[in-house]
Amino acid sequence: MSEAESFVPTPLMLSDSARARLRALIEEEGNSELKLRVYVTGGGCSGFQYGFDFADEAADDDTVIPFGDVALVIDPLSYQYLVGSTVDYEEGLAGARFLIQNPNATTTCGCGASFMV
């Protein structure tokens, strides 16, 4: 098997701070089956908008990406816009939030919640 055939890139990465916050939220809910659903919808000031939600289950066509004791879930439509991105978590003056660092975005809004490809 060639090197290209044996290497499968992770479609999304999860920062250490996002992993720690996700783990804490799962513990607070008392449900070890919870996963962070990451999705893209139309709207926002730059064309597309990121969204986050908890999911107990994944649909048959969802992609589940495990990171040890936590996991991300992505629907097939959002997947194409998120490949190569990193899910991060930050706490600051504007509050605490999950956010996406997306190398595919050509334009983002000031708050980082929406983007254009």
Side-chain angles (χ1 to χ4, degrees), residues 14 16-37 53-57 64-73 89 98:
L14 188 64
D16 290 342
S17 61
R19 186 179 307 187
R21 182 62 181 147
L22 183 52
R23 189 178 304 116
L25 290 170
I26 290 169
E27 288 174 9
E28 285 175 23
E29 291 295 318
N31 182 353
S32 62
E33 297 301 312
L34 286 179
K35 298 163 188 54
L36 182 65
R37 179 174 292 281
D53 198 2
F54 274 118
D56 294 276
E57 300 175 6
V64 178
I65 307 168
F67 293 93
D69 57 348
V70 298
L72 300 177
V73 178
Y89 178 78
F98 285 101

Side-chain angles (χ1 to χ4, degrees), residues 97-109:
R97 65 184 177 146
F98 285 101
L99 62 128
I100 302 284
Q101 297 168 356
N102 188 341
N104 305 309
T106 57
T107 305
T108 59
C109 67

